[in-house]
Amino acid sequence: MTRPDAPATAALRPRPAPLPTHLHDAGRTLVMGVVNVTPDSFSDGGRWFTPGAAVAHGLELLDQGADLLDVGGESTRPGARRVPVEDELARVLPVVEALAGRGAAVSVDTTRAVVARAAVERGAVLVNDVSGGLADDDMPAVVAETGVAYVAMHWRGHADVMDDLAEYGDVVADVRAELAQRVATLRAAGVADHQVVLDPGLGFAKPGASNWPLLARLPELVADGFPVLVGASRKRFLGHLLARPDGTPAPPLARDGATAAVSALAAAAGAWCVRVHEVTGSADAVRVAAAWRAAGGGDVAGAPGAARPDEDDELPVDEDASMRSST
């Protein structure tokens, strides 16, 4: 792992190796489109709850420029309660299988190992776990056994309690240290570094202004050597930023312009992927960021000709200690 104090321009591992080849060579930050197969999403209110509607929406997102589709069957909005595992399986598996069958690169958004394994068996190429493995002790073993790409997000508790856990000293240092612990756990379970993506967990146990330092100092997380996923789309902190004169937060659907702005800035900072509900704006934004960086002489993560470590190289385990010591 690159040292935490390394400059953001250091040669970085640009993407998780297990993904399809065409995603390796995009030459820009990728765009992940959200497919919520839930009746209670904060963002879309269950508009695509049935499998047929979810598949159609996923195909529409691909047409709009999504590189990956993230299929989830359990809401993680603030205050949401868990759904039975049988319900989650019934919601996501038909959609994953149908979209993968149409050639889409599909991610499954789940904290449950049994759902992750079943989705991978039906064609998912990435597991997006908002708990980073903390919600299910079996998750690291499933990731190791399947060899799937895996997003480990910073997380402190389920949606119904997470806002009570938002205490930080330096939020960036704390998030990096806690993600380093997740990396160590994954390595101990046999997960290879080239499978791992990190996510700072915007909005999760971070209800307000603590999200902005994570974005402003994103190059520090990028410099830790793993691909970084940024999921700012339609989140509360954007609603508060765009509040009306009377203080009423902007509703979720009014946050897409701000989301695209974050996508551009995150891409310019070296993010591997942005996760969004409205794809078109962010698909344009990441291309603008790629052109901006290229014109300035900076390598775009994943771009042809950018420095790329050998995929078989193992990063030194003791770098976790240096990452933790930075706090």
Side-chain angles (χ1 to χ4, degrees):
M1 184 180 295
T2 306
R3 287 166 46 95
D5 56 353
T9 54
L12 303 173
R13 186 181 301 277
R15 76 277 178 187
L19 293 182
T21 302
H22 73 277
L23 297 181
H24 296 173
D25 300 322
R28 55 169 171 76
T29 295
L30 300 179
V31 176
M32 175 186 286
V34 177
V35 181
N36 286 321
V37 195
T38 61
D40 58 345
S41 166
F42 85 96
S43 156
D44 51 47
R47 291 174 61 191
W48 300 288
F49 181 47
T50 66
V55 171
H57 181 56
L59 295 175
E60 180 182 19
L61 294 179
L62 291 177
D63 287 342
Q64 293 172 358
D67 301 294
L68 304 98
L69 299 175
D70 194 37
V71 179
E74 182 176 46
S75 176
T76 53
R77 62 180 173 79
R81 296 192 177 276
R82 306 223 64 187
V83 302
V85 64
E86 295 82 6
D87 290 354
E88 187 181 357
L89 287 164
R91 292 174 182 181
V92 303
L93 295 186
V95 179
V96 168
E97 188 166 23
L99 289 172
R102 298 289 292 270
V106 180
S107 164
V108 61
D109 179 358
T110 186
T111 63
R112 289 172 164 139
V114 64
V115 177
R117 184 186 293 278
V120 171
E121 290 172 351
R122 286 160 178 78
V125 296
L126 185 145
V127 174
N128 182 16
D129 180 358
V130 300
S131 81
L134 287 169
D136 189 336
D137 290 341
D138 293 333
M139 183 67 85
V142 168
V143 176
E145 291 165 13
T146 60
V148 71
Y150 178 71
V151 178
M153 196 192 80
H154 177 263
W155 185 87
R156 287 183 169 181
H158 287 289
D160 58 341
V161 299
M162 65 181 180
D163 282 354
D164 298 327
L165 305 173
E167 294 186 9
Y168 300 93
D170 177 330
V171 65
V172 178
D174 292 350
V175 166
R176 291 174 71 196
E178 290 170 38
L179 284 174
Q181 294 169 5
R182 304 318 307 147
V183 170
T185 297
L186 291 166
R187 285 172 167 166
V191 177
D193 284 346
H194 67 248
Q195 294 174 251
V196 177
V197 176
L198 300 181
D199 180 340
L202 301 175
F204 286 79
K206 306 170 195 75
S210 58
N211 293 281
W212 292 109
L214 289 165
L215 288 169
R217 294 167 58 187
L218 189 64
E220 295 178 36
L221 185 57
V222 171
D224 286 332
F226 290 92
V228 174
L229 174 68
V230 173
S233 184
R234 297 179 177 173
K235 293 206 169 162
R236 288 178 293 173
F237 73 99
L238 295 180
H240 290 297
L241 176 71
L242 305 175
R244 298 168 182 164
D246 65 359
T248 303
L253 294 180
R255 304 171 191 172
D256 287 333
T259 297
V262 172
S263 293
L265 293 168
W272 164 74
C273 186
V274 292
R275 180 183 183 273
V276 298
H277 298 85
E278 192 278 318
V279 165
T280 303
S282 286
D284 290 346
V286 299
R287 286 167 172 81
V288 168
W292 187 296
R293 291 188 64 181
D299 288 336
V300 178
R308 291 181 176 179
D310 190 321
E311 295 293 353
D312 295 326
D313 285 350
E314 288 297 325
L315 300 181
V317 174
D318 62 2
E319 290 289 342
D320 278 334
S322 71
M323 187 171 173
R324 288 192 296 272
S325 69
S326 69
T327 65

